[in-house]
Amino acid sequence: MDKIIIHGGRPLAGTVAISGAKNAALPLMAATLLTPGWHTLRNVPDLRDTRTMLRVLETLGATWERQGATVRIDTSGLTGAEAPYDLVKTMRASVLVLGPLLGRCGYARVSLPGGCAIGARPINYHLRGFENLGVTTTLARGYVEARADTRLRGATIYFDKPSVTGTENILMAAVTAHGTTVIKNAAREPEVGNLVDMLVAMGAEIKGKDSDRLTIHGVRSLVPAEAAIIPDRIETGTYLIAVGAAGGEVTITGCNPAHLPALTEKLRSAGVRIDEGMDSFTVSCPVHDAASGCHLQSVDITTLPYPGFPTDLQAQFMALMILGSGVSIIHETIFENRFMHVAELQRMGADITIDGSSAIVRGIPAERLCGAPLMATDLRASASLVIAGLAASGETEISRIYHLERGYEQMVEKLRRLGADIRRVKE
Ligand code: EPZ
């Protein structure tokens, strides 16, 4: 396994281009199962998770080719409808094949994803929604088997919580159902809107994009898709926060500032300067050191479904608040165990106390944040450790970086081009 070595304390400068969104690429790749033919997806990031999704599609009989950021997928020759445990356990988003397989052939057998580092993450909302559409689901030996003996039928489905992949799975199952499906309390994340656009381009009839109520009128057939993946708002937010922590001035291109309303407000309140363009940010912050002192105000955040503060940026923002001028309360409301990064940050000198679903972060002077050997535990925690390493004095070593490479395309290379002293080495 490889690890990352960072020598911190250097400001960032230059330009960084944002890749396509992991959490849009995964559902859109799954949606190609809905109808046979060659589908074309542009701006697909090359990540561990997108490579895993391609392997899942191959397992089902699809073929694919990648030319740069464009991926073409042929799902004409489906030979199976089973996503095996060894793939699903490495990427829970594999459950996104359930909806399109049910829409295409009325059957699917997918390993239950099991828990993950950040929480139990059940899929009961997905299964209940399928049952509302006329699907019978049975659980046996760690697999869910979903079957519909006739064409799926439209229904009204209410989500207790606005589940992102739950909304996406039901959308994909409903587009060819008989009749009308209404999803109430649907997730409003931009990645769901990206999927709606792709399904409409395939011939689906969907109203309510970006709202919490989606209405789908089932159609008899669909055509292969031509779609572009939206920019990754979580990658964008990660680089915005990194400049706040390390100091410097960076232009972030190929992004969508409108997708980060909560983060930009919180960063501005903390004292980070952010200018927005149509598809770019310019972000700057003074270096926090003994000479120039601390420029960051401590601000509180509460994670919420979109458009609230994203849970996927909570760990990164916590790394920034380590250097705040006072006390920051970070309240995580989406997942029950998303503070795995705290213990690692504490080893660098951070003053953080966990109280139930909140973390209390007491700001320390930059010179007390020291590099250390760290271990990544999950995708966004890994990004948090990188950000802290960029701001800390001395050497930070992060092991198990396969977590990071699930969701960040060429992060080490992108940061090096911004002047960071960061490299990956064989462990
Ligand atoms: C998606 O996960 C994202 N993954 C996650 O990003 C993200 O953190 C999450 O949405 C929240 O924004 C992808 O899009 C591939 P949920 P998802 O269903 O869909 C509970 C990353 O780092 N719930 O919206 O699995 C659940 O436990 C990843 O890129 C049920 O109880 O999340 C959680 O508390 C991490 N039953 C809440 O709802 C269900 O059937 C929201 O989960 C489904 C969800």
Side-chain angles (χ1 to χ4, degrees):
M1 286 186 281
D2 292 356
K3 59 187 176 184
I4 285 176
I5 308 286
I6 301 170
H7 289 99
R10 295 164 62 124
L12 300 177
T15 299
V16 62
I18 295 301
S19 303
K22 167 180 81 82
N23 290 347
L26 297 177
L28 273 70
M29 292 164 89
T32 64
L33 293 166
L34 273 167
T35 194
W38 279 98
H39 303 254
T40 301
L41 298 178
R42 294 186 302 281
N43 199 30
V44 181
D46 186 13
L47 305 165
R48 185 180 289 270
D49 273 10
T50 51
R51 292 194 287 272
T52 299
M53 182 57 84
L54 287 171
R55 285 216 313 279
V56 172
L57 296 179
E58 279 176 342
T59 306
L60 300 170
T63 57
W64 58 273
E65 61 189 30
R66 177 184 273 273
Q67 289 166 333
T70 297
V71 173
R72 300 182 70 242
I73 301 171
D74 179 9
T75 59
S76 304
L78 287 196
T79 55
E82 178 167 322
Y85 175 63
D86 64 323
L87 285 178
V88 178
K89 73 181 177 186
T90 61
M91 186 186 67
R92 57 178 295 98
S94 309
V95 298
L96 283 166
V97 304
L98 275 167
L101 285 173
L102 287 167
R104 167 96 174 251
C105 55
Y107 175 77
R109 184 170 184 269
V110 174
S111 167
L112 279 170
C116 78
I118 64 177
R121 302 187 71 187
I123 60 167
N124 53 320
Y125 301 161
H126 304 230
L127 302 181
R128 192 169 66 203
F130 292 140
E131 286 163 2
N132 288 5
L133 295 173
V135 173
T136 303
T137 64
T138 51
L139 305 185
R141 295 177 51 74
Y143 279 75
V144 60
E145 189 166 24
R147 181 188 301 275
D149 295 331
T150 60
R151 185 182 172 194
L152 272 59
R153 64 173 189 275
T156 295
I157 292 160
Y158 173 78
F159 280 119
D160 296 343
K161 294 180 186 174
S163 166
V164 175
T165 51
T167 301
E168 291 164 347
N169 241 338
I170 297 307
L171 261 175
M172 292 188 281
V175 290
T176 54
H178 175 72
T180 297
T181 296
V182 177
I183 304 175
K184 294 182 177 178
N185 200 23
R188 298 167 54 194
E189 275 69 2
E191 294 76 27
V192 177
N194 200 183
L195 176 63
V196 168
D197 286 342
M198 174 178 168
L199 294 172
V200 168
M202 293 170 73
E205 293 181 20
I206 304 171
K207 302 293 182 208
K209 174 186 166 187
D210 295 335
S211 80
D212 64 357
R213 182 188 179 101
L214 293 171
T215 302
I216 306 104
H217 299 294
V219 295
R220 290 298 292 189
S221 65
L222 299 165
V223 297
E226 288 265 346
I229 307 295
I230 58 173
D232 194 317
R233 61 192 169 97
I234 305 304
E235 183 192 21
T236 306
T238 300
Y239 285 103
L240 285 168
I241 294 169
V243 175
E249 178 166 332
V250 168
T251 297
I252 301 174
T253 61
C255 61
N256 186 339
H259 288 166
L260 285 161
L263 175 69
T264 47
E265 281 314 304
K266 287 296 181 180
L267 285 175
R268 289 186 175 113
S269 301
V272 179
R273 180 184 166 83
I274 296 177
D275 296 314
E276 296 184 19
M278 281 298 289
D279 61 355
S280 66
F281 279 112
T282 297
V283 52
S284 62
C285 195
V287 175
H288 327 287
D289 57 22
S292 63
C294 170
H295 308 275
L296 287 171
Q297 303 304 313
S298 294
V299 295
D300 300 341
I301 62 167
T302 296
T303 64
L304 288 169
Y306 192 89
F309 192 97
T311 177
D312 292 348
L313 287 170
Q314 176 260 106
Q316 300 92 313
F317 197 82
M318 185 184 293
L320 180 71
M321 289 293 98
I322 292 171
L323 299 177
S325 57
V327 178
S328 163
I329 309 291
I330 293 181
H331 187 201
E332 173 59 58
T333 71
I334 306 294
F335 292 112
E336 63 270 27
N337 187 36
R338 204 166 199 180
F339 287 145
M340 305 279 279
H341 42 288
V342 169
E344 299 302 302
L345 295 173
Q346 288 168 333
R347 298 182 59 244
M348 301 176 77
D351 182 350
I352 306 170
T353 308
I354 295 177
D355 177 13
S357 59
S358 293
I360 298 109
V361 186
R362 293 177 178 80
I364 61 172
E367 53 270 22
R368 279 178 40 199
L369 184 62
C370 302
L374 307 173
M375 186 175 76
T377 53
D378 60 86
L379 168 55
R380 305 305 174 182
S382 315
S384 171
L385 303 186
V386 170
I387 289 170
L390 293 172
S393 56
E395 179 174 286
T396 294
E397 180 185 288
I398 303 170
S399 61
R400 301 191 180 185
I401 59 164
Y402 58 85
H403 288 292
L404 190 75
E405 292 171 337
R406 294 191 52 175
Y408 288 97
E409 190 174 47
Q410 299 187 337
M411 180 181 242
V412 171
E413 295 77 4
K414 290 184 178 183
L415 285 171
R416 283 181 66 82
R417 284 197 291 273
L418 291 177
D421 181 345
I422 181 173
R423 69 188 194 281
R424 60 179 297 157
V425 296
K426 290 291 176 198
E427 190 152 30

